[in-house]
Amino acid sequence: MTNELKIQLPPEVQNEEAKLLLMIKLFETGKLSLGQAAKFSGYSKRAFMEILGKYGVPVFDYHIEDLEREMNL
């Protein structure tokens, strides 16, 4: 079962832009996986990953301590 959200946007905000920004935020907060966010925003995973980079959102949520520990193995 999926939820549906209906909102009225100001004229200067396009539907596709609002949908993309919502999917970016839902991915960033861990509510959606990369694949889900890409699908719901209408992009391929690769394209969505590039968009995330443009918005400064990391694709991988890797804590620095974990990275340092793995590099020392």
Side-chain angles (χ1 to χ4, degrees), residues 31-42:
K31 301 291 184 186
L32 292 179
S33 69
L34 178 67
Q36 290 170 320
K39 178 182 174 184
F40 291 136
S41 62

Side-chain angles (χ1 to χ4, degrees), residues 11-65:
E12 63 272 10
V13 178
Q14 299 297 314
N15 289 347
E16 293 304 312
E17 177 187 18
K19 183 168 60 171
L20 173 61
L21 292 173
L22 176 60
M23 294 306 114
I24 289 171
K25 194 53 147 174
L26 290 173
F27 169 75
E28 184 179 28
T29 59
K31 301 291 184 186
L32 292 179
S33 69
L34 178 67
Q36 290 170 320
K39 178 182 174 184
F40 291 136
S41 62
Y43 290 92
S44 67
K45 282 185 186 179
R46 181 181 179 98
F48 191 74
M49 287 172 41
E50 290 177 12
I51 292 168
L52 290 173
K54 290 179 184 176
Y55 282 92
V57 177
V59 175
F60 303 103
D61 185 21
Y62 220 61
H63 297 284
I64 189 69
E65 296 85 14

